[in-house]
Amino acid sequence: MTVHKPQILDVASELLQKRSFTSFSYKDLSDSLGITKASVHHHFQTKEDLLLALTERYRVRQRTRLGEIDEKNARPVERLDAFLAMMDGLAASGDKICPLGSLQSELNVLPERVRENVDALFETAKDWLVGVLDGGRECGELEFEGSPEDSAVMILSAVQGGLQISRARGRENFLAVSRQIRIAFTNKTKG
Amino acid sequence: MTVHKPQILDVASELLQKRSFTSFSYKDLSDSLGITKASVHHHFQTKEDLLLALTERYRVRQRTRLGEIDEKNARPVERLDAFLAMMDGLAASGDKICPLGSLQSELNVLPERVRENVDALFETAKDWLVGVLDGGRECGELEFEGSPEDSAVMILSAVQGGLQISRARGRENFLAVSRQIRIAFTNKTKG
DNA sequence: GTCTATAGCGGGATAGAC
DNA sequence: GTCTATCCCGCTATAGAC
C-alpha cells in the first residue's frame, strides 16, 4: 500500500487530539498506516516538520470552515451557532479535544516555528469572532456587556476548556457551555 | 543534601504546569533537586505513584483553599472574586497553567487511578461553584440565566481554557475572561 | 536517603537496497 | 514510496553498596 502526506496528517491529527504532541510517536503513525517508521520519516523527516505541516493545514482548514460558516449564515447569531455546532462535533466524538487546545496545553515543549502557527490559529479565530460579535451588536441581534475582544477571548476559552472537560466527563458538559454562551450573548429584550 | 517527598512533589507540580505529564522525566526532577534519578525513584517508585501522590495533594489543597475562601468571604460575589483572583495568580506566573487543565488535556495517556483523582478534582470544584452560584442567586447578589450547574461548568471551562490561552498570548487574556465572568454573573439591576 | 551502574525498552532519525 | 537494519539517545526502573 502506498501512503501520501495527507493520510499521514490525518492520523497525526487524530493522535494529537486524542493524546498529545509528546505522547504520540512515529511508531504510532506507522502502525496505524500499515507502513514502517522509516517510510513515515520519508514524508516528514522530523517531528517538527510533521507538526509544521499539520498546523499549516489546520490554518487552511480553519479559514475554509469559517468562510463556509459566513457563506451559509448571513446573520451573526446563526454564525455563532454554527461555530458552536462545529465544535460540538468534537465533543460528540467522545475522545477528541480541540487541536488548538492540545497544542496550547503543551506550548512550552513545541518547536518555535510550530508555536507561531498555533498563535496564528488563535488570532484568526479571535478576529473572526470579534467580527461576528461586532456585527451582532450593531444589528441588535447579539447583546452583551464588555468589549467584543474580551467576549471573543471568553468564548474561545470556554470552548477550549469545555471540550477538555467534556472528554473527561461527558458531552453534556460542552452542551452546558454552549447553552451558557448562547444565553450570555443573545438578545434578552425579546418582543 | 537530603530531599523529602513534598519537595519532589513541588518540582513535579511545577513541571506538570509548565510542561506536561508526558514531557517531564525523572531526570528533570533529579536535576532540579540536585540528586540522582535513582534517589527520586526511592521516594516514588513509578511515575504513576508520583502522579497519584501529586493529584492527592492537589485534592487536599483544593479543599483547603476553597475552605479558606469561604472562611474569609461571606458573600457569594466575594467568593467568586476570590476564586478568580486565585486563578489569576497562575496567569500572572507567565508560564504555568491550571494543573487540572494540564492533566485533562492528556487524559487518555494517564494511568487510570490518576484519572480518578482528576475526576474528583473537577467534581469538587464544580460542586463548590454550584454552591456559590446558588447562594448568590438566592440572596440576589448574583444574577444569571440557566442552571447553576451549567453556569459552574461554563466558568470552569473558561478559566481552564483561559489560563492556557493566557500562557500562550499573555495575561490580559485571562483578565478578559475574568471580567466577562464577572459581568455575566453580576447583578445588573443596580440601584 | 543517596549513590553508581546497568538493564531494557522505545524514542527520533539515517543509510542504503529495492 | 517502501523496506531492513542500525545508530544513538533518553526514558523508566532496578540492584546493591554506602
Side-chain angles (χ1 to χ4, degrees), chain A residues 3-84:
Chain A
V3 164
H4 299 281
K5 287 185 177 176
Q7 299 169 255
I8 299 176
L9 293 181
D10 289 344
V11 177
S13 180
E14 198 182 340
L15 288 169
L16 180 74
Q17 292 176 266
K18 288 187 179 175
R19 298 194 185 305
S20 73
F21 166 68
T22 322
S23 71
F24 81 79
S25 66
Y26 275 86
K27 179 161 192 304
D28 292 327
L29 293 169
S30 66
D31 282 351
S32 179
L33 291 160
I35 57 177
T36 62
K37 282 199 295 172
S39 298
V40 181
H41 276 286
H42 168 76
H43 296 280
F44 300 101
Q45 263 200 302
T46 71
K47 218 175 171 185
E48 172 167 359
D49 291 336
L50 174 66
L51 258 283
L52 221 41
L54 181 58
T55 49
E56 266 155 25
R57 198 175 73 164
Y58 282 144
R59 292 196 63 191
V60 172
R61 296 197 170 174
Q62 181 187 54
R63 281 189 287 266
T64 305
R65 288 183 189 168
L66 295 181
E68 281 172 2
I69 287 178
D70 288 344
E71 262 183 48
K72 293 181 190 163
N73 304 278
R75 298 165 54 206
V77 67
E78 291 169 344
R79 289 178 180 177
L80 181 59
D81 281 344
F83 175 75
L84 293 175

Side-chain angles (χ1 to χ4, degrees), chain A residues 14-175:
Chain A
E14 198 182 340
L15 288 169
L16 180 74
Q17 292 176 266
K18 288 187 179 175
R19 298 194 185 305
S20 73
F21 166 68
T22 322
S23 71
F24 81 79
S25 66
Y26 275 86
K27 179 161 192 304
D28 292 327
L29 293 169
S30 66
D31 282 351
S32 179
L33 291 160
I35 57 177
T36 62
K37 282 199 295 172
S39 298
V40 181
H41 276 286
H42 168 76
H43 296 280
F44 300 101
Q45 263 200 302
T46 71
K47 218 175 171 185
E48 172 167 359
D49 291 336
L50 174 66
L51 258 283
L52 221 41
L54 181 58
T55 49
E56 266 155 25
R57 198 175 73 164
Y58 282 144
R59 292 196 63 191
V60 172
R61 296 197 170 174
Q62 181 187 54
R63 281 189 287 266
T64 305
R65 288 183 189 168
L66 295 181
E68 281 172 2
I69 287 178
D70 288 344
E71 262 183 48
K72 293 181 190 163
N73 304 278
R75 298 165 54 206
V77 67
E78 291 169 344
R79 289 178 180 177
L80 181 59
D81 281 344
F83 175 75
L84 293 175
M86 179 176 76
M87 302 313 280
D88 179 56
L90 287 177
S93 81
D95 54 4
K96 286 185 194 167
I97 61 173
C98 171
L100 179 55
S102 177
L103 291 163
Q104 275 187 339
S105 73
E106 282 205 308
L107 193 82
N108 287 337
V109 298
L110 298 181
E112 210 187 289
R113 289 163 68 207
V114 174
R115 243 177 289 175
E116 289 168 20
N117 280 347
V118 172
D119 280 353
L121 281 169
F122 173 77
E123 283 297 298
T124 300
K126 183 187 164 187
D127 290 347
W128 180 82
L129 255 185
V130 166
V132 170
L133 294 174
D134 247 337
R137 174 179 271 177
E138 215 168 315
C139 73
E141 212 173 86
L142 299 178
E143 190 173 274
F144 53 94
E145 290 181 68
S147 72
E149 285 77 15
D150 281 10
S151 300
V153 171
M154 159 71 157
I155 290 173
L156 291 174
S157 296
V159 165
Q160 181 167 316
L163 286 172
Q164 292 166 9
I165 290 171
S166 284
R167 179 174 66 180
R169 309 283 307 155
R171 183 184 173 197
E172 64 267 24
N173 288 281
F174 186 79
L175 295 177

Side-chain angles (χ1 to χ4, degrees), chain B residues 32-107:
Chain B
S32 180
L33 291 160
I35 57 178
T36 63
K37 285 195 291 173
S39 298
V40 181
H41 276 286
H42 168 76
H43 295 280
F44 300 102
Q45 263 202 302
T46 71
K47 218 175 171 184
E48 173 168 358
D49 291 337
L50 175 66
L51 257 284
L52 221 40
L54 181 58
T55 49
E56 267 156 23
R57 198 176 74 164
Y58 281 145
R59 292 196 63 191
V60 172
R61 295 196 169 175
Q62 182 187 52
R63 281 191 286 265
T64 304
R65 288 182 187 168
L66 295 180
E68 282 172 2
I69 288 178
D70 288 345
E71 262 183 46
K72 293 181 189 162
N73 303 279
R75 298 166 52 207
V77 68
E78 290 169 345
R79 290 179 179 177
L80 181 59
D81 280 345
F83 175 74
L84 293 174
M86 178 176 78
M87 302 313 280
D88 179 56
L90 287 177
S93 81
D95 53 4
K96 286 187 195 166
I97 60 173
C98 171
L100 179 55
S102 177
L103 291 164
Q104 276 187 339
S105 72
E106 281 203 310
L107 193 81

